[in-house]
Amino acid sequence: ENICDAFQSDLFSNYGDREKSEVQIFNHPFFPFEPLEGKEWTRIMLGGTELIRRYFEQAKDYSAKDAVYIMPWFTLAENDMLDNDPVKRADLLEVTKVTEQAPVGQGVQQALFKIYELIPRK
């Protein structure tokens, strides 16, 4: 409790008067507004581009100058209609580290999953 202040919020609605953050973890929607055909489980990760757009628009106001942003990306979500890959959406951020988790072959995770670490561009 003396190291970090973790809280859940709808974007920054519960941020209150906290100090600007040094690390932000944002689990954004991966898929468009409708589940992928034949993959009903994608319904739990819907949201289009609005949420991730709002996040990138607002995050700078709540972040320390050298903040680190941690964001997941599920490669099955890459598509021609809508692609919420943080690397492609974060114009003002650059990737410093990518951690990849190979598919486990069961449950939902049937494709490569990535966790990006991003920082503000200099």
mmCIF file of all heavy atoms in Angstrom, residues 56 67-73 85-100 114-122:
data_model
loop_
_atom_site.group_PDB
_atom_site.id
_atom_site.type_symbol
_atom_site.label_atom_id
_atom_site.label_comp_id
_atom_site.label_asym_id
_atom_site.label_seq_id
_atom_site.Cartn_x
_atom_site.Cartn_y
_atom_site.Cartn_z
ATOM 1 N N PHE A 56 -6.482 7.592 -24.999
ATOM 2 C CA PHE A 56 -5.283 8.290 -25.451
ATOM 3 C C PHE A 56 -5.455 9.810 -25.399
ATOM 4 O O PHE A 56 -4.497 10.531 -25.153
ATOM 5 C CB PHE A 56 -4.884 7.844 -26.852
ATOM 6 C CG PHE A 56 -4.237 6.491 -26.870
ATOM 7 C CD1 PHE A 56 -4.716 5.497 -27.715
ATOM 8 C CD2 PHE A 56 -3.168 6.195 -26.048
ATOM 9 C CE1 PHE A 56 -4.126 4.240 -27.727
ATOM 10 C CE2 PHE A 56 -2.571 4.945 -26.047
ATOM 11 C CZ PHE A 56 -3.051 3.968 -26.891
ATOM 12 N N ALA A 67 5.701 8.862 -17.763
ATOM 13 C CA ALA A 67 4.835 7.731 -17.421
ATOM 14 C C ALA A 67 5.073 6.542 -18.347
ATOM 15 O O ALA A 67 5.510 6.689 -19.486
ATOM 16 C CB ALA A 67 3.373 8.157 -17.503
ATOM 17 N N VAL A 68 4.758 5.363 -17.838
ATOM 18 C CA VAL A 68 4.796 4.118 -18.603
ATOM 19 C C VAL A 68 3.359 3.631 -18.733
ATOM 20 O O VAL A 68 2.595 3.659 -17.768
ATOM 21 C CB VAL A 68 5.652 3.053 -17.875
ATOM 22 C CG1 VAL A 68 5.564 1.713 -18.586
ATOM 23 C CG2 VAL A 68 7.088 3.517 -17.753
ATOM 24 N N TYR A 69 3.011 3.202 -19.941
ATOM 25 C CA TYR A 69 1.662 2.700 -20.228
ATOM 26 C C TYR A 69 1.780 1.221 -20.576
ATOM 27 O O TYR A 69 2.595 0.848 -21.423
ATOM 28 C CB TYR A 69 1.051 3.463 -21.403
ATOM 29 C CG TYR A 69 1.009 4.957 -21.168
ATOM 30 C CD1 TYR A 69 2.099 5.754 -21.469
ATOM 31 C CD2 TYR A 69 -0.119 5.558 -20.624
ATOM 32 C CE1 TYR A 69 2.070 7.126 -21.241
ATOM 33 C CE2 TYR A 69 -0.161 6.917 -20.400
ATOM 34 C CZ TYR A 69 0.945 7.701 -20.700
ATOM 35 O OH TYR A 69 0.912 9.044 -20.475
ATOM 36 N N ILE A 70 0.980 0.402 -19.935
ATOM 37 C CA ILE A 70 1.000 -1.043 -20.176
ATOM 38 C C ILE A 70 -0.353 -1.432 -20.749
ATOM 39 O O ILE A 70 -1.396 -1.153 -20.146
ATOM 40 C CB ILE A 70 1.318 -1.816 -18.889
ATOM 41 C CG1 ILE A 70 2.702 -1.396 -18.392
ATOM 42 C CG2 ILE A 70 1.223 -3.316 -19.121
ATOM 43 C CD1 ILE A 70 3.078 -1.921 -17.042
ATOM 44 N N MET A 71 -0.298 -2.068 -21.935
ATOM 45 C CA MET A 71 -1.542 -2.406 -22.633
ATOM 46 C C MET A 71 -1.431 -3.782 -23.273
ATOM 47 O O MET A 71 -0.432 -4.098 -23.899
ATOM 48 C CB MET A 71 -1.820 -1.373 -23.715
ATOM 49 C CG MET A 71 -1.860 0.040 -23.196
ATOM 50 S SD MET A 71 -2.133 1.184 -24.531
ATOM 51 C CE MET A 71 -3.778 1.659 -24.122
ATOM 52 N N PRO A 72 -2.479 -4.595 -23.132
ATOM 53 C CA PRO A 72 -2.496 -5.910 -23.778
ATOM 54 C C PRO A 72 -2.945 -5.805 -25.231
ATOM 55 O O PRO A 72 -3.575 -4.830 -25.632
ATOM 56 C CB PRO A 72 -3.526 -6.677 -22.954
ATOM 57 C CG PRO A 72 -4.491 -5.618 -22.533
ATOM 58 C CD PRO A 72 -3.667 -4.378 -22.301
ATOM 59 N N TRP A 73 -2.640 -6.828 -25.988
ATOM 60 C CA TRP A 73 -3.131 -6.937 -27.365
ATOM 61 C C TRP A 73 -3.264 -8.407 -27.728
ATOM 62 O O TRP A 73 -2.320 -9.184 -27.577
ATOM 63 C CB TRP A 73 -2.211 -6.242 -28.359
ATOM 64 C CG TRP A 73 -2.704 -6.389 -29.769
ATOM 65 C CD1 TRP A 73 -2.054 -6.991 -30.801
ATOM 66 C CD2 TRP A 73 -3.962 -5.958 -30.289
ATOM 67 N NE1 TRP A 73 -2.825 -6.957 -31.919
ATOM 68 C CE2 TRP A 73 -4.011 -6.323 -31.639
ATOM 69 C CE3 TRP A 73 -5.063 -5.306 -29.747
ATOM 70 C CZ2 TRP A 73 -5.107 -6.058 -32.451
ATOM 71 C CZ3 TRP A 73 -6.139 -5.041 -30.550
ATOM 72 C CH2 TRP A 73 -6.152 -5.407 -31.891
ATOM 73 N N ASP A 85 -5.054 -2.324 -32.048
ATOM 74 C CA ASP A 85 -3.697 -2.602 -31.586
ATOM 75 C C ASP A 85 -3.127 -1.291 -31.041
ATOM 76 O O ASP A 85 -3.045 -0.300 -31.761
ATOM 77 C CB ASP A 85 -2.860 -3.106 -32.764
ATOM 78 C CG ASP A 85 -1.453 -3.506 -32.365
ATOM 79 O OD1 ASP A 85 -0.947 -3.033 -31.326
ATOM 80 O OD2 ASP A 85 -0.840 -4.281 -33.117
ATOM 81 N N PRO A 86 -2.741 -1.240 -29.752
ATOM 82 C CA PRO A 86 -2.248 0.013 -29.174
ATOM 83 C C PRO A 86 -1.087 0.631 -29.949
ATOM 84 O O PRO A 86 -0.975 1.844 -30.023
ATOM 85 C CB PRO A 86 -1.798 -0.393 -27.766
ATOM 86 C CG PRO A 86 -2.556 -1.622 -27.464
ATOM 87 C CD PRO A 86 -2.768 -2.320 -28.781
ATOM 88 N N VAL A 87 -0.238 -0.190 -30.536
ATOM 89 C CA VAL A 87 0.898 0.335 -31.285
ATOM 90 C C VAL A 87 0.418 1.154 -32.482
ATOM 91 O O VAL A 87 1.012 2.168 -32.839
ATOM 92 C CB VAL A 87 1.827 -0.806 -31.746
ATOM 93 C CG1 VAL A 87 2.899 -0.312 -32.688
ATOM 94 C CG2 VAL A 87 2.450 -1.478 -30.540
ATOM 95 N N LYS A 88 -0.679 0.748 -33.081
ATOM 96 C CA LYS A 88 -1.207 1.455 -34.251
ATOM 97 C C LYS A 88 -2.061 2.660 -33.861
ATOM 98 O O LYS A 88 -2.300 3.534 -34.678
ATOM 99 C CB LYS A 88 -2.022 0.501 -35.114
ATOM 100 C CG LYS A 88 -1.184 -0.627 -35.678
ATOM 101 C CD LYS A 88 -2.043 -1.606 -36.430
ATOM 102 C CE LYS A 88 -1.216 -2.772 -36.928
ATOM 103 N NZ LYS A 88 -2.048 -3.784 -37.569
ATOM 104 N N ARG A 89 -2.528 2.719 -32.607
ATOM 105 C CA ARG A 89 -3.428 3.790 -32.161
ATOM 106 C C ARG A 89 -2.722 4.861 -31.343
ATOM 107 O O ARG A 89 -3.218 5.963 -31.218
ATOM 108 C CB ARG A 89 -4.559 3.212 -31.312
ATOM 109 C CG ARG A 89 -5.364 2.140 -31.982
ATOM 110 C CD ARG A 89 -6.020 2.600 -33.230
ATOM 111 N NE ARG A 89 -7.438 2.658 -33.024
ATOM 112 C CZ ARG A 89 -8.239 3.438 -33.721
ATOM 113 N NH1 ARG A 89 -7.765 4.250 -34.615
ATOM 114 N NH2 ARG A 89 -9.506 3.431 -33.515
ATOM 115 N N ALA A 90 -1.588 4.551 -30.766
ATOM 116 C CA ALA A 90 -0.900 5.460 -29.847
ATOM 117 C C ALA A 90 0.112 6.322 -30.588
ATOM 118 O O ALA A 90 1.306 6.082 -30.538
ATOM 119 C CB ALA A 90 -0.217 4.655 -28.748
ATOM 120 N N ASP A 91 -0.362 7.350 -31.245
ATOM 121 C CA ASP A 91 0.506 8.205 -32.051
ATOM 122 C C ASP A 91 1.627 8.873 -31.257
ATOM 123 O O ASP A 91 2.719 9.064 -31.772
ATOM 124 C CB ASP A 91 -0.320 9.307 -32.735
ATOM 125 C CG ASP A 91 -1.344 8.737 -33.686
ATOM 126 O OD1 ASP A 91 -1.122 7.631 -34.212
ATOM 127 O OD2 ASP A 91 -2.372 9.399 -33.893
ATOM 128 N N LEU A 92 1.367 9.233 -30.016
ATOM 129 C CA LEU A 92 2.342 9.983 -29.237
ATOM 130 C C LEU A 92 3.174 9.100 -28.313
ATOM 131 O O LEU A 92 3.948 9.598 -27.509
ATOM 132 C CB LEU A 92 1.639 11.069 -28.419
ATOM 133 C CG LEU A 92 0.835 12.078 -29.245
ATOM 134 C CD1 LEU A 92 0.104 13.054 -28.335
ATOM 135 C CD2 LEU A 92 1.732 12.821 -30.223
ATOM 136 N N LEU A 93 3.003 7.778 -28.436
ATOM 137 C CA LEU A 93 3.744 6.850 -27.589
ATOM 138 C C LEU A 93 4.608 5.935 -28.438
ATOM 139 O O LEU A 93 4.302 5.683 -29.592
ATOM 140 C CB LEU A 93 2.776 5.996 -26.758
ATOM 141 C CG LEU A 93 1.825 6.741 -25.827
ATOM 142 C CD1 LEU A 93 0.866 5.766 -25.174
ATOM 143 C CD2 LEU A 93 2.582 7.529 -24.785
ATOM 144 N N GLU A 94 5.679 5.446 -27.838
ATOM 145 C CA GLU A 94 6.513 4.465 -28.527
ATOM 146 C C GLU A 94 6.670 3.223 -27.664
ATOM 147 O O GLU A 94 6.663 3.298 -26.439
ATOM 148 C CB GLU A 94 7.877 5.043 -28.874
ATOM 149 C CG GLU A 94 8.745 5.374 -27.678
ATOM 150 C CD GLU A 94 10.099 5.915 -28.073
ATOM 151 O OE1 GLU A 94 11.009 5.111 -28.314
ATOM 152 O OE2 GLU A 94 10.222 7.155 -28.131
ATOM 153 N N VAL A 95 6.806 2.088 -28.319
ATOM 154 C CA VAL A 95 6.939 0.811 -27.624
ATOM 155 C C VAL A 95 8.371 0.643 -27.133
ATOM 156 O O VAL A 95 9.320 0.825 -27.892
ATOM 157 C CB VAL A 95 6.571 -0.360 -28.564
ATOM 158 C CG1 VAL A 95 6.807 -1.695 -27.874
ATOM 159 C CG2 VAL A 95 5.135 -0.240 -29.023
ATOM 160 N N THR A 96 8.525 0.301 -25.861
ATOM 161 C CA THR A 96 9.853 0.043 -25.313
ATOM 162 C C THR A 96 10.067 -1.440 -25.018
ATOM 163 O O THR A 96 11.190 -1.888 -24.908
ATOM 164 C CB THR A 96 10.086 0.840 -24.017
ATOM 165 O OG1 THR A 96 9.084 0.482 -23.065
ATOM 166 C CG2 THR A 96 10.055 2.329 -24.292
ATOM 167 N N LYS A 97 8.969 -2.180 -24.884
ATOM 168 C CA LYS A 97 9.086 -3.603 -24.573
ATOM 169 C C LYS A 97 7.819 -4.312 -25.021
ATOM 170 O O LYS A 97 6.722 -3.777 -24.885
ATOM 171 C CB LYS A 97 9.285 -3.785 -23.067
ATOM 172 C CG LYS A 97 9.476 -5.222 -22.633
ATOM 173 C CD LYS A 97 9.722 -5.292 -21.136
ATOM 174 C CE LYS A 97 9.904 -6.717 -20.687
ATOM 175 N NZ LYS A 97 10.087 -6.816 -19.238
ATOM 176 N N VAL A 98 7.977 -5.514 -25.545
ATOM 177 C CA VAL A 98 6.841 -6.361 -25.899
ATOM 178 C C VAL A 98 7.059 -7.718 -25.252
ATOM 179 O O VAL A 98 8.094 -8.346 -25.444
ATOM 180 C CB VAL A 98 6.712 -6.540 -27.437
ATOM 181 C CG1 VAL A 98 5.537 -7.453 -27.763
ATOM 182 C CG2 VAL A 98 6.582 -5.208 -28.137
ATOM 183 N N THR A 99 6.087 -8.148 -24.471
ATOM 184 C CA THR A 99 6.120 -9.487 -23.881
ATOM 185 C C THR A 99 5.078 -10.305 -24.620
ATOM 186 O O THR A 99 3.929 -9.881 -24.741
ATOM 187 C CB THR A 99 5.784 -9.423 -22.379
ATOM 188 O OG1 THR A 99 6.717 -8.561 -21.738
ATOM 189 C CG2 THR A 99 5.833 -10.805 -21.758
ATOM 190 N N GLU A 100 5.490 -11.447 -25.145
ATOM 191 C CA GLU A 100 4.574 -12.287 -25.912
ATOM 192 C C GLU A 100 4.262 -13.569 -25.157
ATOM 193 O O GLU A 100 5.145 -14.175 -24.571
ATOM 194 C CB GLU A 100 5.175 -12.630 -27.274
ATOM 195 C CG GLU A 100 5.334 -11.420 -28.168
ATOM 196 C CD GLU A 100 5.831 -11.783 -29.567
ATOM 197 O OE1 GLU A 100 6.200 -12.954 -29.807
ATOM 198 O OE2 GLU A 100 5.831 -10.881 -30.412
ATOM 199 N N LYS A 114 -0.040 -10.301 -26.653
ATOM 200 C CA LYS A 114 1.105 -9.433 -26.388
ATOM 201 C C LYS A 114 0.764 -8.442 -25.284
ATOM 202 O O LYS A 114 -0.374 -8.025 -25.147
ATOM 203 C CB LYS A 114 1.477 -8.640 -27.638
ATOM 204 C CG LYS A 114 1.899 -9.474 -28.802
ATOM 205 C CD LYS A 114 2.225 -8.587 -29.991
ATOM 206 C CE LYS A 114 2.632 -9.425 -31.198
ATOM 207 N NZ LYS A 114 3.004 -8.562 -32.335
ATOM 208 N N ILE A 115 1.779 -8.068 -24.524
ATOM 209 C CA ILE A 115 1.645 -6.966 -23.580
ATOM 210 C C ILE A 115 2.706 -5.951 -23.966
ATOM 211 O O ILE A 115 3.903 -6.246 -24.000
ATOM 212 C CB ILE A 115 1.828 -7.426 -22.126
ATOM 213 C CG1 ILE A 115 0.729 -8.433 -21.775
ATOM 214 C CG2 ILE A 115 1.792 -6.220 -21.186
ATOM 215 C CD1 ILE A 115 0.854 -9.033 -20.400
ATOM 216 N N TYR A 116 2.220 -4.753 -24.293
ATOM 217 C CA TYR A 116 3.106 -3.672 -24.709
ATOM 218 C C TYR A 116 3.434 -2.762 -23.527
ATOM 219 O O TYR A 116 2.559 -2.453 -22.721
ATOM 220 C CB TYR A 116 2.446 -2.800 -25.784
ATOM 221 C CG TYR A 116 2.203 -3.470 -27.101
ATOM 222 C CD1 TYR A 116 0.936 -3.505 -27.636
ATOM 223 C CD2 TYR A 116 3.244 -4.047 -27.807
ATOM 224 C CE1 TYR A 116 0.691 -4.087 -28.867
ATOM 225 C CE2 TYR A 116 3.005 -4.647 -29.034
ATOM 226 C CZ TYR A 116 1.746 -4.653 -29.556
ATOM 227 O OH TYR A 116 1.508 -5.235 -30.769
ATOM 228 N N GLU A 117 4.664 -2.323 -23.483
ATOM 229 C CA GLU A 117 5.067 -1.259 -22.577
ATOM 230 C C GLU A 117 5.402 -0.067 -23.462
ATOM 231 O O GLU A 117 6.234 -0.179 -24.363
ATOM 232 C CB GLU A 117 6.289 -1.687 -21.771
ATOM 233 C CG GLU A 117 6.714 -0.689 -20.744
ATOM 234 C CD GLU A 117 7.883 -1.215 -19.920
ATOM 235 O OE1 GLU A 117 7.728 -2.240 -19.237
ATOM 236 O OE2 GLU A 117 8.966 -0.571 -19.976
ATOM 237 N N LEU A 118 4.718 1.046 -23.232
ATOM 238 C CA LEU A 118 4.889 2.227 -24.063
ATOM 239 C C LEU A 118 5.276 3.424 -23.192
ATOM 240 O O LEU A 118 4.930 3.483 -22.019
ATOM 241 C CB LEU A 118 3.593 2.561 -24.807
ATOM 242 C CG LEU A 118 3.003 1.453 -25.664
ATOM 243 C CD1 LEU A 118 1.808 0.833 -24.993
ATOM 244 C CD2 LEU A 118 2.630 1.976 -27.025
ATOM 245 N N ILE A 119 5.994 4.367 -23.791
ATOM 246 C CA ILE A 119 6.357 5.615 -23.131
ATOM 247 C C ILE A 119 6.093 6.769 -24.086
ATOM 248 O O ILE A 119 5.997 6.570 -25.303
ATOM 249 C CB ILE A 119 7.845 5.621 -22.670
ATOM 250 C CG1 ILE A 119 8.770 5.470 -23.873
ATOM 251 C CG2 ILE A 119 8.106 4.547 -21.630
ATOM 252 C CD1 ILE A 119 10.241 5.708 -23.575
ATOM 253 N N PRO A 120 6.005 8.001 -23.563
ATOM 254 C CA PRO A 120 5.824 9.149 -24.456
ATOM 255 C C PRO A 120 7.002 9.309 -25.411
ATOM 256 O O PRO A 120 8.157 9.093 -25.018
ATOM 257 C CB PRO A 120 5.741 10.344 -23.488
ATOM 258 C CG PRO A 120 5.342 9.740 -22.188
ATOM 259 C CD PRO A 120 5.955 8.378 -22.162
ATOM 260 N N ARG A 121 6.708 9.681 -26.630
ATOM 261 C CA ARG A 121 7.767 9.962 -27.608
ATOM 262 C C ARG A 121 8.512 11.211 -27.165
ATOM 263 O O ARG A 121 7.932 12.147 -26.675
ATOM 264 C CB ARG A 121 7.202 10.180 -28.997
ATOM 265 C CG ARG A 121 6.651 8.928 -29.621
ATOM 266 C CD ARG A 121 6.320 9.167 -31.090
ATOM 267 N NE ARG A 121 5.570 8.068 -31.622
ATOM 268 C CZ ARG A 121 6.099 6.913 -32.052
ATOM 269 N NH1 ARG A 121 7.386 6.748 -32.039
ATOM 270 N NH2 ARG A 121 5.327 5.952 -32.508
ATOM 271 N N LYS A 122 9.797 11.212 -27.359
ATOM 272 C CA LYS A 122 10.640 12.383 -27.002
ATOM 273 C C LYS A 122 10.613 13.417 -28.101
ATOM 274 O O LYS A 122 10.490 13.173 -29.242
ATOM 275 C CB LYS A 122 12.078 11.951 -26.733
ATOM 276 C CG LYS A 122 12.178 10.896 -25.649
ATOM 277 C CD LYS A 122 12.008 11.517 -24.294
ATOM 278 C CE LYS A 122 12.130 10.415 -23.239
ATOM 279 N NZ LYS A 122 11.737 10.754 -21.973
#
